[in-house]
């Protein structure tokens, strides 16, 4: 294997490692936002310590995992394109770059949400954040399909079945979480002694 071919494979390896780290960070970060927002419903003596703990966890996760994952993904992508600039002429890559731009907006919007949460100035509900947390899953599936299928992006019935299944699973998770929260609320209202603990 030539040096250039080997370098290309190293860039691709690190690009994929970056993607895994970036997404792990994005998924967990917004999950922390959900717990953080819902900690407002805790009894008053617990609210401040929980707020401080979630703020610390969010900052560390964002700065030590999520952003370095993003930087590794993008910097290795640039190396891949420098090595093979002809990718930029292909439609799948141009479409991929649009999704990546949306993902970068999502990433930086998470920083804004984090700053608002830490300043106790975030109006989002747990339910809204749960829906927001599903967005990167959609980007991930579409981008991975684009790099795998390239210009042969599938549009068959099987593809729509898989897309439908993913949407169905995401909605089921949302409804299950809502049902669980409602049930806990009912139990709390029916047994007031739990509240007075
Ligand atoms: C900064 C934007 C990005 C650019 C310019 C870019 C560019 C590239 C290039 C040139 C390749 C090599 C394709 C090949 O050799 O077949 C690649 C591979 C890959 N990219 Fe990206 N990428 C970017 C962001 C992403 C993101 C955000 C994801 C995940 C959501 C991703 C997932 C992948 C995967 C899984 C591969 C391996 C595909 C394969 O080997 O078949 N990329 N990328």
């Amino acid at each position: 294997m030539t040096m250039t071919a080997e370098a290309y494979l190293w860039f691709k390896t690190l690009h994929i490692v970056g993607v895994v780290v970036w997404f792990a960070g994005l998924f967990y970060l917004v999950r922390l936002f959900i717990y953080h927002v819902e900690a407002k419903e805790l009894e008053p003596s617990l609210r401040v310590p929980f707020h401080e703990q979630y703020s610390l966890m969010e900052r560390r996760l964002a700065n030590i995992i999520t952003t370095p994952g993003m930087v590794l993904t993008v910097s290795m992508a640039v190396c891949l394109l420098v090595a093979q600039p002809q990718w930029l002429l292909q439609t799948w890559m141009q479409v991929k770059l649009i999704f990546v731009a949306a993902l970068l907006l999502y990433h930086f919007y998470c920083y804004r949400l984090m700053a608002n949460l830490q300043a106790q100035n975030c109006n989002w509900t747990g339910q809204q954040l749960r829906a927001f947390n599903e967005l990167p899953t959609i980007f991930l599936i579409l981008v991975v399909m684009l790099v795998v299928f390239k210009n042969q992006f599938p549009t068959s019935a099987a593809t729509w079945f898989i897309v439908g299944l993913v949407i169905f699973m995401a909605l089921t998770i949302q409804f299950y979480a809502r049902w669980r929260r409602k049930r806990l609320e009912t139990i709390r209202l029916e047994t007031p002694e739990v509240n007075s603990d």
Side-chain angles (χ1 to χ4, degrees):
M1 199 191 299
T2 64
M3 275 291 277
T4 329
E6 190 173 333
Y8 187 84
L9 294 181
W10 274 113
F11 297 149
K12 192 146 67 166
T13 303
L14 293 173
H15 180 61
I16 296 171
V17 171
V19 167
V20 173
V21 174
W22 187 11
F23 274 81
L26 281 179
F27 287 137
Y28 189 37
L29 189 60
V30 182
R31 182 101 314 251
L32 283 177
F33 292 168
I34 297 169
Y35 298 142
H36 196 156
V37 158
E38 292 179 349
K40 284 186 202 152
E41 288 151 30
L42 291 171
E43 65 160 280
S45 66
L46 293 175
R47 279 180 211 158
V48 173
F50 269 79
H51 168 69
E52 281 170 4
Q53 183 61 27
Y54 284 132
S55 300
L56 178 76
M57 289 167 79
E58 286 157 6
R59 272 198 305 276
R60 290 206 174 144
L61 178 67
N63 297 333
I64 300 173
I65 306 284
T66 320
T67 297
M70 181 270 281
V71 171
L72 186 63
T73 305
V74 175
S75 54
M76 289 303 111
V78 171
C79 294
L80 285 166
L81 289 182
V82 169
Q84 303 269 0
Q86 70 275 17
W87 285 132
L88 278 173
L89 302 174
Q90 301 203 358
T91 312
W92 68 270
M93 176 57 80
Q94 292 158 3
V95 177
K96 175 175 168 174
L97 287 179
I98 294 171
F99 287 124
V100 176
L103 202 58
L104 286 168
L105 283 179
Y106 183 93
H107 179 100
F108 290 110
Y109 193 73
C110 283
Y111 266 84
R112 190 166 156 184
L113 277 177
M114 184 166 74
N116 287 345
L117 269 165
Q118 306 203 345
Q120 299 195 304
N121 185 25
C122 177
N123 304 323
W124 286 57
T125 63
Q127 193 59 38
Q128 288 168 330
L129 284 168
R130 279 187 173 79
F132 186 66
N133 204 14
E134 303 295 345
L135 277 182
T137 315
I138 298 168
F139 292 134
L140 178 64
I141 294 168
L142 288 171
V143 170
V144 172
M145 283 179 77
L146 280 166
V147 283
V148 172
F149 287 98
K150 297 198 165 59
N151 285 338
Q152 264 95 47
F153 198 85
T155 48
S156 63
T159 308
W160 294 118
F161 175 75
I162 295 168
V163 171
L165 198 66
V166 171
I167 294 172
F168 173 76
M169 280 162 63
L171 288 175
T172 308
I173 293 167
Q174 294 268 331
F175 282 122
Y176 172 70
R178 192 185 293 184
W179 171 80
R180 220 176 113 240
R181 268 197 319 282
K182 287 238 163 80
R183 200 181 57 135
L184 281 175
E185 221 150 83
T186 317
I187 293 172
R188 235 182 274 146
L189 289 174
E190 282 170 0
T191 51
E193 67 277 11
V194 173
N195 287 326
S196 60
D197 277 349

